Amino acid sequence: MPGIVYLLLSILLGKELAGSFLENKRNSREVVVNGFWLLFFAAFGTGTLAMGWGTYLVSWLAGAAGSKRPLLWGNLFVMGGTAAWLAFLYIKRYRKGLLSGGRAGLVADKKLFRKEAVFFSVLLIFLTWIMFYVFHVKDGVLYSGFSVYGDYAPHTAMMRSFSMGSNFPTQYPHYGGEDVKYHFMFQFVAGNLEYLGLRIDIAYNLISILSLEGFLVLLYALARRVAGSAAGISDSFGIGVLSVLLFFFRSAFTFFRFVWEHVQSGDLWTTLADNTSFIGYTPNENWGLWNFNVYLNQRHLAFGLLLVGLTLWIYLDWVEAGCSHQEKGFRWFRLRLFCREAWKSRSLETALAMGMILGFCAFWNGAAVIGGLLILMGFALFSDGKLDYAVTAAVTVVLSLLQSKIFIRGQAMKLSFQWGFLAEDKSAGGVLWYLLQMSGIFFVGLFVLLIFLGRRQRAVLVSFLFPAVFAFCISLTPDINVNHKYVMISYAFLTMFWAWAVIRLFRLRHARAAAVLLALCLTVTGIYDFVVILKNNGVGRRVAVNMESSLTRWLSENLEHEDLLLTPEYSMSEVTMSGVMMYCGWPYYAWSAGYDTNYRAAVATEIYTTSDAEQVKRLTEQEGITYILFEEGMEFEQEKCREDIIASCCQMVYRSEDGRIRIYETR
């Protein structure tokens, strides 16, 4: 199947790209690392990044040249070119006798490799099950769970704008006719895989599974290398595994408070059995801002973190070198800032490569790129080779700005100081109390762990905190809630230090009960959140969309990329699954991305409710609206709509079989 071939070519291409800077890199002085896992998922990440951009750019050029099937040319050129280059490379190596043998160090410890193979296989099975549990097609119907469909609505619309449409130059389907302010390349690759023959749920879930599995493999490896090296080789596997488990189940006091309240009210067991909502006592915590649900609905975040994790793995060489100096205290820190050796480049080629990886990831997930740069800024403070960090940051920023100039009209982000994030009390004490409520001991307790860690581990821990600090100080979008991703990025990487603490406590016989209690405090709220995820996305709690709809088919076959469809404020529906550009879809999606949804809502309300046919003509011409969809008995912004006025000045071109939906052409 072409879609699978596309992915295989991506991995093979990525193997050549990633292998060049992973090979011969020092894993750790204390921990043995099996490079096979790193190479495979680094290959998937870098190869998908390269193939995705190549396919997109060629398809855009083909569309600009007038092709009605730009993705056909994009895939033919990129897949054919990649296959030809790989064949040339392998033939050349074969003639030189270099094809067999493989890369040294891919399996450095066979016993450890077998344990890792079992763990990563179980992890893969679990991720496959949960991804399809919340998003799957059965009997021609697409099912999206209640806790995730809100995010899937704009994502699936973007996917379908490529697989069923020709979204070049790219627009945002829920605010058509304008630029695209939201990172969309992950959805482009999913849409392209559907175009190449994979069913939409398989296409989306497949790259989501590989992305999250890849990030967790990097997290495991980083945990063993950083925290595991402080504990010793015998404990490093357990620390890596526990870091991954802590990633899934968040820390908070929320569950304990929830239980206490319902014990007092006498309905604990009934509530635990019936509740299908996330629990929380801080603003919007009941949205699921802090639990694993984030990675189920924001699939592209994991892909961004996979590439960030790869970059951090490479730059740990710099941190380890800087932390190996024998100076102590302020003198050591001063030498890391003000001596020539601290700034001298260690590998300019690697710095450029890392900058390109992060830079080209900007429109896959911008939050991951910003979070990665913030962590690297922390690394740079404690490292030698600061020039390399500066080069990586500069290349990343330049490439990100270039993409923003291409895709976004006007300002991409609006930076503002906004202290306290979602804490209702913005005082220092209020913010600290918010942290305790939201994450329990997780963030506050790290300052205790610092006392027991070595210099290298302290440097890395402090660096991992930088995205969370950013979230509590800076806002880049109209919706401050989106800053939760920066906190989640810090949280994901910092799990390794709590894994280290639990393992070290458990090794002390008299402290094993404390280790179990600590593990319980770090996971019990997240475990209950996961139960809610299962209940809230099960049978009867899913949004269903008919994938064989005649309305979807008619829209995709009759509307062009330049057409703009006025609809009710749809979230996920047969209309959004057609890939057409809507004048104003569900407003939250576009508003949080920076679009002026109030203006369009006012115009749409006027068109739907006016008693003046000339006003309908004037506004549709002014706004570029070419089609108007009317749904039987509809209201818009709580106002009753007038189909008779629309019908008097526009021609009806579609009527659904049940007569419930009519579409009028304005031209």
Side-chain angles (χ1 to χ4, degrees):
M1 188 175 291
I4 299 299
V5 173
Y6 185 93
L7 280 176
L8 290 175
L9 285 173
S10 297
I11 293 171
L12 291 174
L13 173 63
K15 176 176 174 287
E16 301 304 321
L17 298 174
S20 61
F21 51 78
L22 277 177
E23 193 172 19
N24 299 324
K25 290 292 176 187
R26 171 161 42 88
N27 294 329
S28 176
R29 292 167 296 178
E30 297 91 353
V31 176
V32 176
V33 174
N34 291 314
F36 172 82
W37 310 110
L38 293 175
L39 181 59
F40 178 84
F41 288 106
F44 165 74
T46 55
T48 302
L49 185 72
M51 287 274 286
W53 273 118
T55 307
Y56 178 83
L57 293 173
V58 174
S59 300
W60 190 355
L61 291 174
S67 173
K68 296 295 184 182
R69 303 178 67 186
L71 275 180
L72 173 65
W73 296 106
N75 284 294
L76 283 176
F77 185 86
V78 172
M79 291 175 68
T82 301
W85 181 73
L86 289 171
F88 169 78
L89 198 63
Y90 293 154
I91 291 171
K92 185 178 178 181
R93 287 178 184 167
Y94 175 78
R95 289 175 176 173
K96 291 184 178 181
L98 302 174
L99 197 58
S100 55
R103 298 182 185 274
L106 289 183
V107 183
D109 185 328
K110 292 184 179 179
K111 182 179 179 181
L112 175 64
F113 183 82
R114 287 192 290 270
K115 291 196 294 184
E116 290 174 335
V118 171
F119 175 61
F120 294 148
S121 296
V122 171
L123 185 62
L124 181 65
I125 292 169
F126 167 74
L127 292 178
T128 302
W129 167 70
I130 193 64
M131 292 292 182
F132 277 96
Y133 182 79
V134 301
F135 184 77
H136 64 271
V137 173
K138 182 179 180 181
D139 299 327
V141 178
L142 175 66
Y143 295 97
S144 302
F146 280 3
S147 77
V148 294
Y149 84 91
D151 281 85
Y152 291 170
H155 297 166
T156 52
M158 183 64 80
M159 288 181 232
R160 279 298 177 92
S161 75
F162 293 111
S163 63
M164 298 186 72
S166 178
N167 196 2
F168 305 100
T170 302
Q171 303 173 26
Y172 192 63
H174 278 264
Y175 200 90
E178 293 288 337
D179 55 4
V180 57
K181 302 182 190 297
Y182 191 81
H183 32 234
F184 65 89
M185 282 298 296
F186 189 85
Q187 291 78 19
F188 166 76
V189 170
N192 186 45
L193 290 176
E194 185 186 19
Y195 176 82
L196 291 172
L198 294 180
R199 203 172 64 192
I200 188 171
D201 59 328
I202 296 174
Y204 193 36
N205 285 329
L206 184 56
I207 56 174
S208 300
I209 292 162
L210 290 173
S211 296
L212 188 50
E213 174 96 359
F215 169 63
L216 293 176
V217 166
L218 262 294
L219 177 63
Y220 160 88
L222 286 165
R224 291 190 65 237
R225 183 173 172 182
V226 176
S229 63
I233 294 177
S234 61
D235 290 331
S236 63
F237 175 74
I239 288 174
V241 171
L242 188 54
S243 298
V244 173
L245 294 178
L246 292 177
F247 166 88
F248 286 107
F249 307 119
R250 70 168 176 130
S251 166
F253 293 141
T254 307
F255 182 73
F256 299 107
R257 179 176 172 181
F258 180 78
V259 168
W260 175 245
E261 289 179 351
H262 288 282
V263 165
Q264 289 183 310
S265 61
D267 62 349
L268 175 62
W269 299 114
T270 302
T271 302
L272 290 177
D274 297 341
N275 180 49
T276 57
S277 301
F278 295 121
I279 57 176
Y281 299 93
T282 60
N284 303 331
E285 187 178 354
N286 58 350
W287 292 4
L289 286 180
W290 309 117
N291 62 50
F292 179 58
N293 194 67
V294 171
Y295 294 94
L296 293 177
N297 57 28
Q298 292 283 310
R299 307 288 187 88
H300 48 312
L301 176 59
F303 182 84
L305 289 180
L306 165 60
L307 295 178
V308 168
L310 175 61
T311 306
L312 298 181
W313 176 268
I314 299 299
Y315 265 114
L316 271 176
D317 279 359
W318 280 246
V319 179
E320 289 171 348
C323 290
S324 66
H325 293 276
Q326 298 304 311
E327 299 88 357
K328 295 183 179 181
F330 180 74
R331 174 175 169 77
W332 170 78
F333 189 72
R334 181 172 62 84
L335 290 175
R336 300 286 67 72
L337 290 177
F338 300 113
C339 75
R340 181 179 178 182
E341 187 65 26
W343 288 88
K344 183 180 177 181
S345 174
R346 301 181 76 238
S347 177
L348 189 59
E349 180 182 351
T350 300
L352 288 168
M354 296 303 102
M356 292 181 69
I357 285 175
L358 289 181
F360 281 118
C361 193
F363 267 75
W364 297 70
N365 192 280
V369 173
I370 294 171
L373 287 178
L374 289 166
I375 295 171
L376 287 176
M377 183 175 70
F379 278 18
L381 289 174
F382 306 105
S383 298
D384 290 339
K386 288 181 174 55
L387 179 60
D388 295 330
Y389 288 98
V391 169
T392 293
V395 172
T396 301
V397 171
V398 168
L399 289 175
S400 299
L401 290 175
L402 177 62
Q403 292 163 66
S404 296
K405 291 293 184 183
I406 293 172
F407 294 119
I408 298 176
R409 301 173 196 164
Q411 195 174 12
M413 296 179 293
K414 187 177 181 181
L415 188 147
S416 62
F417 179 76
Q418 193 160 338
W419 166 249
F421 186 36
L422 293 174
E424 295 174 304
D425 179 357
K426 304 297 183 182
S427 67
V431 171
L432 179 62
W433 175 239
Y434 172 76
L435 270 174
L436 283 168
Q437 287 183 292
M438 178 266 288
S439 65
I441 63 171
F442 189 90
F443 284 104
V444 177
L446 290 170
F447 294 96
V448 177
L449 296 188
L450 280 172
I451 300 171
F452 303 98
L453 294 171
R455 177 189 288 173
R456 189 198 322 167
Q457 288 75 30
R458 289 174 184 170
V460 174
L461 187 155
V462 171
S463 301
F464 286 161
L465 280 170
F466 278 28
V469 173
F470 179 87
F472 278 80
C473 298
I474 302 296
S475 177
L476 299 175
T477 65
D479 185 11
I480 188 64
N481 287 287
V482 301
N483 271 22
H484 81 105
K485 295 173 189 173
Y486 302 115
V487 180
M488 293 291 285
I489 290 170
S490 285
Y491 190 103
F493 287 110
L494 287 166
T495 55
M496 67 180 67
F497 296 103
W498 284 111
W500 170 84
V502 171
I503 295 293
R504 289 306 300 268
L505 277 176
F506 197 78
R507 286 187 64 185
L508 304 172
R509 291 186 179 180
H510 62 277
R512 287 184 175 176
V516 173
L517 180 61
L518 176 60
L520 186 66
C521 290
L522 290 168
T523 58
V524 66
T525 297
I527 291 171
Y528 185 71
D529 282 339
F530 188 75
V531 172
V532 171
I533 289 173
L534 297 182
K535 293 164 67 175
N536 207 27
N537 295 278
V539 177
R541 300 193 63 81
R542 296 165 177 160
V543 172
V545 180
N546 179 13
M547 299 299 286
E548 299 172 357
S549 161
S550 60
L551 172 61
T552 301
R553 185 168 56 254
W554 186 90
L555 288 169
S556 66
E557 291 175 353
N558 289 273
L559 270 66
E560 303 291 338
H561 179 58
E562 297 77 17
D563 286 317
L564 197 54
L565 176 65
L566 177 62
T567 66
E569 292 173 324
Y570 286 134
S571 174
M572 180 184 283
S573 69
E574 295 172 12
V575 173
T576 67
M577 296 304 293
S578 69
V580 298
M581 297 298 118
M582 294 180 290
Y583 181 72
C584 51
W586 191 255
Y588 175 77
Y589 310 140
W591 171 78
S592 63
Y595 297 98
D596 185 2
T597 53
N598 289 331
Y599 169 77
R600 286 202 173 182
V603 172
T605 302
E606 180 68 14
I607 293 173
Y608 273 126
T609 63
T610 184
S611 58
D612 184 354
E614 290 301 316
Q615 180 75 333
V616 171
K617 289 182 179 180
R618 185 184 69 80
L619 288 175
T620 54
E621 183 178 354
Q622 171 189 300
E623 299 298 310
I625 296 169
T626 52
Y627 291 89
I628 300 174
L629 183 146
F630 193 92
E631 190 171 333
E632 189 71 35
M634 69 175 282
E635 293 183 350
F636 196 95
E637 298 285 312
Q638 290 79 53
E639 294 191 38
K640 187 173 178 59
C641 299
R642 295 281 304 271
E643 184 181 12
D644 57 327
I645 303 301
I646 295 171
S648 69
C649 61
C650 302
Q651 179 184 1
M652 186 169 68
V653 292
Y654 173 84
R655 183 185 183 93
S656 62
E657 294 177 359
D658 59 5
R660 184 176 57 87
I661 291 176
R662 278 85 67 184
I663 297 177
Y664 295 87
E665 186 174 9
T666 65
R667 292 172 293 194

